[in-house]
Structures are given as structure tokens and as C-alpha cells.
Amino acid sequence: MYLRYAKRLLTETDKRLLWKLAYNFGFKGARAIQKHKSRLKRGEFFPPFLYISIINSCNLRCQGCWVDVAAKQERIEVDALSKVIREANEQGNYFFGIVGGEPFMHPDILEIFRRHPECYFQVFTNGHFITGEIAAELRKCGNVTPLISVEGTEIVSDERRGGAEVLNKTMQGIHNCVEHNVVTGVCTSVCKTNLDDLVNEAWVDRLIELGVLYMWYHTYRPMGPEPNEALALAPEEQLRIREFVVNMRVKKPIAIVDAYYDGEGQALCPAATGFTHHISPWGAIEPCPIVQFAKESIYEDVPLADTFNNSQYLKDFRELAASQTRGCIVLERPDLLHQLNVLHGAEDTTARKTAAAELLAMSPRPSQHNRMKAVPEKSWAYRFAKRHFFNDFGAYDSPENPLDRSPKQVELLDK
């Protein structure tokens, strides 16, 4: 399997793009992790990877979307984004996840990639705006990998994403990228309506045949103003996905990414471990995309390194999340997240300004943390990579609950 995948990498993509992937993402990413570990030992903090929502607008209306895609357009302009990127570079960070809305609706997205050839960008996109011309530009840039979301069959895709001919347009975007030898990935937010269609070997084989080089299974999280809880997966279904991913990693010549487990199969939360945080289209610095509350912004006249080092809200979020679960605190204990927000006076970072009410209305539900069964990696390569570069960084060793240490909480909640 490893030799077959190596052959695919060498024959199915542009060699310059492969070098950019290996150096800008692989080598620099590994170095960013080592710098992160060193900072933690010194009592300092700066996430080794950043996810940035550069725009809120989108051409689709997905079920359960928590982004204000229909609100007045807000985007991070190139100069402001470049400042964030440069300050992250100073901390050794060169990888950025570009999110939306739909990122390719940002009029200057290609300029962002061109300005920072030393970085590597993963763009979460529905693929509808990736024409042949755009794909050719991505190949010229060389430092971009589109991660294109597929949410089911033709009928399911239209229903899930609130559009017409959604799957056909997405598949055309994938085709355009592969045709131009761009390193291309496909992701799925797995839910009740696409679990059987997309978590199977036939779908993996089809992606390999298409020329897709990596996959990513997310888990659907019912959030936002219209959460569709009927789509959420049961614990046994989440376990099914985990077992499928582990088995496919030793069988199929395609990389399969996951963001929720370490090499031993123990669940983790990338925001709780400090692996990554998120910047919203309004510049708010949030723990993760679904936690739409913040105390700090990229537009403050403060170096980004100082913001991350001194943010008590982000620190307390990490400690609170790690003290409660190895899974997702938003799903399992939305009440505690609300208390933390009240304690810090964290601002609602949405355009609709109803995030607090949405949080209070949530019913606790299971997340990826399965207390009965862990599924360790079977692949030595994934076990090695996770042991050294993707784990909990000690976040769960001695968690402290920040809500237990502040008498201000009761006072604030009473108000």
C-alpha cells in the first residue's frame, strides 16, 4: 500500500507541487510542532496551525450551517490577513486552513496564495468556483491544496446543501483540479443521510480512480440557528467511521486524515489540546469554528503572539474542555461553555447575535469520545506521525477546571 501510494504521488501530481507539499507543509509543519512543544515547556503558547475563515458568504445553504452565509458580506482583506500570516511565520507556523463561507468567493484569494509562497494553504471549499482557469492558477501557485466537500449522492447533496445540481458542480471542480495535477483532497461531514453512501470501500476506490490524493471524514455537529439534530450520528456510528478509517489506512493507496484521535485511538479535541484555533471573517480569535465567542481580535494593536500568550479566555477554554472530556465540550457540555463565556464576558462573534441563546438551547449529546472502546491505528506510518506530531501534547494529563477557581462566576451568572 505504501509503495502504491508513493507511486501515485510521483505520477499523478506536478513534481513542483509535490515538493511544495513536502517542504512547506511536511518539513515546516513538523518544525512548527517542535516549536510548539518547546513553547509549552517554557509556559508559552501559540497554536502550530491556524484556521482562518476569510469570508462569510456562500452560494449554498447547508443544513445545520452555523456561519452567517446570508448576512452582509464580511471578509478579511489581504493586507490584514498577510499581517496575521507574517506574525504566525515569526512563530514558525507556515500552514493555514482557509475556511468560509465559501473561500473562493473572496475576490483576492489567489493574491493571498501568491503573496506567501513560503506557506502552505488548505482550502475547504465546495468546488463550485474552481474552474479550469482557477485550477491552472492554483497549479502556478503550487502552495495550495483544495479540500473539496462531497456530502452524498445527487439527491442527498441537493438536500444537504440547499442547492441544485450540487454534486455535479462539485465533481467538476474536483476534475478541474486533478486535470491540472493539483494536490486534491475530498472531505465529508458524515451524517445520517450520507453515512452509508460515503463510508465504504467503493467510494474510496472511486476517489482513487478520480485522482484524489487524500480524504477527510468530519463528523456532523448540530450547531447554529437551525441545527438539524436528526442528522447527528449515534456513538456506534461514530465508532463505525473510526474503524473504517483505521482499516482503509492499511489497505488503500490514499491518505485519510482525521482530527479527532491519537495513535492509540484515544479521542482528542484539537482546540482543547492547543493544536489549532480559529479566526472568524470578522477577525475574532476563537477556540474553534463552532465556538463563536471571543475576547480578542486580529485588529487589536497587539502582536498576535502576545494575544495568544495572554488570552485568559482561550487558556480557560482549553483547560475547561480538557477537564471535562476528550471529545467535544460544545456537544457534551454546552452549559459549561456558556458559563465560561459569562465568566469572561466573551462576545458573540456572529452577525445574527443569537449564539448564546443557541448554546443554551442545545441538548447534550455524545461526541467522538467513546469511553467503552478505543480503536488504535494499525498503520505504523500513522502511529509514528501521530505519536510525534498529532497528539494531546499533555493537555489531558492534569486538567484543571477554571470554573472551579473563580468566585466571580456565581456573581456574573446571577446578573
Side-chain angles (χ1 to χ4, degrees):
M1 188 280 294
Y2 299 112
L3 290 176
R4 285 187 293 152
Y5 188 54
K7 180 180 179 181
R8 289 195 65 210
L9 287 172
L10 291 171
T11 59
E12 295 180 24
T13 190
D14 185 287
K15 302 302 183 294
R16 183 177 65 89
L17 272 62
L18 188 59
W19 166 250
K20 286 275 192 179
L21 173 68
Y23 184 69
N24 284 16
F25 171 69
F27 174 75
K28 289 183 177 179
R31 191 172 61 184
I33 295 294
Q34 297 306 318
K35 287 179 178 290
H36 176 58
K37 291 178 181 178
S38 297
R39 283 192 293 268
L40 292 177
K41 289 179 180 178
R42 299 194 303 267
E44 301 172 3
F45 177 78
F46 196 100
F49 299 105
L50 281 175
Y51 283 86
I52 307 173
S53 291
I54 60 173
I55 192 169
N56 66 306
S57 301
C58 184
N59 60 310
L60 300 178
R61 297 294 182 267
C62 296
Q63 292 173 319
C65 181
W66 58 80
V67 182
D68 293 303
V69 293
K72 180 182 177 182
Q73 185 176 103
E74 186 71 28
R75 61 179 185 254
I76 303 177
E77 300 297 345
V78 176
D79 288 345
L81 185 56
S82 289
K83 181 176 181 292
V84 170
I85 292 171
R86 287 194 302 271
E87 292 192 31
N89 291 165
E90 291 171 4
Q91 302 300 312
N93 299 12
Y94 289 87
F95 174 85
F96 302 89
I98 303 299
V99 202
E102 168 49 51
F104 280 98
M105 289 183 71
H106 195 297
D108 300 312
I109 187 170
L110 294 175
E111 178 61 22
I112 295 167
F113 307 146
R114 295 185 188 112
R115 280 198 190 187
H116 301 279
E118 73 286 352
C119 296
Y120 202 78
F121 301 92
Q122 181 183 53
V123 187
F124 292 70
T125 173
N126 59 43
H128 290 192
F129 295 90
I130 305 181
T131 61
E133 292 76 15
I134 293 295
E137 288 299 318
L138 296 179
R139 180 174 180 171
K140 285 181 184 177
C141 292
N143 59 343
V144 187
T145 174
L147 181 59
I148 301 175
S149 56
V150 176
E151 298 300 321
T153 61
E154 287 88 347
I155 295 173
V156 171
S157 290
D158 286 356
E159 180 184 41
R160 278 275 293 117
R161 313 216 69 178
E165 298 186 7
V166 172
L167 182 61
N168 288 339
K169 295 173 185 176
T170 294
M171 297 305 291
Q172 185 60 53
I174 294 172
H175 173 75
N176 291 338
C177 289
V178 171
E179 186 177 41
H180 286 84
N181 297 113
V182 175
V183 176
T184 306
V186 165
C187 68
T188 298
S189 178
V190 186
C191 65
K192 291 280 190 184
T193 55
N194 61 27
L195 175 64
D196 292 333
D197 293 323
L198 299 182
V199 185
N200 59 60
E201 287 195 46
W203 175 242
V204 177
D205 289 337
R206 184 183 179 193
L207 292 181
I208 293 171
E209 184 181 354
L210 287 171
V212 173
L213 291 172
Y214 70 99
M215 304 173 62
W216 192 337
Y217 286 117
H218 298 276
T219 302
Y220 175 79
R221 282 160 160 69
M223 296 291 300
E226 298 181 7
N228 192 329
E229 296 189 358
L231 294 177
L233 300 176
E236 58 270 20
E237 292 169 322
Q238 296 198 47
L239 181 61
R240 170 183 161 186
I241 298 170
R242 171 63 184 168
E243 290 175 333
F244 176 78
V245 167
V246 165
N247 289 330
M248 291 302 100
R249 281 172 163 165
V250 293
K251 187 174 182 179
K252 302 292 184 180
I254 188 170
I256 306 179
V257 182
D258 74 70
Y260 305 132
Y261 302 94
D262 64 16
E264 304 306 316
Q266 293 292 328
L268 55 77
C269 163
T273 65
F275 186 77
T276 182
H277 284 323
H278 174 253
I279 297 172
S280 80
W282 288 267
I285 301 174
E286 305 164 342
C288 82
I290 66 172
V291 181
Q292 296 178 296
F293 299 90
K295 286 289 291 181
E296 292 88 17
S297 166
I298 64 171
Y299 298 116
E300 295 170 356
D301 191 20
V302 179
L304 199 59
D306 290 350
T307 297
F308 278 116
N309 263 319
N310 299 327
S311 174
Q312 193 63 46
Y313 175 67
L314 293 175
K315 181 175 184 293
D316 281 356
F317 172 88
R318 295 190 296 272
E319 291 178 354
L320 177 65
S323 73
Q324 298 300 315
T325 175
R326 293 188 68 103
C328 176
I329 189 174
V330 185
L331 296 185
E332 295 186 25
R333 294 299 306 271
D335 58 320
L336 290 184
L337 179 56
H338 172 69
Q339 290 177 25
L340 182 73
N341 292 335
V342 171
L343 175 65
H344 285 280
E347 294 184 9
D348 180 337
T349 57
T350 67
R352 60 189 182 274
K353 300 304 177 185
T354 58
E358 294 160 15
L359 197 61
L360 285 170
M362 286 181 64
S363 300
R365 63 174 51 256
S367 68
Q368 71 269 25
H369 182 28
N370 190 315
R371 291 169 173 83
M372 302 301 295
K373 184 176 182 180
V375 183
E377 294 292 343
K378 295 180 179 180
S379 164
W380 65 264
Y382 283 94
R383 287 180 71 91
F384 176 86
K386 289 194 169 188
R387 179 173 297 170
H388 294 281
F389 306 114
F390 187 77
N391 52 68
D392 63 23
F393 304 108
Y396 299 104
D397 291 346
S398 55
E400 179 183 2
N401 187 338
L403 297 182
D404 292 337
R405 64 173 190 251
S406 177
K408 282 176 58 184
Q409 179 204 0
V410 176
E411 194 180 308
L412 285 167
L413 285 173
D414 285 343
K415 294 180 180 178

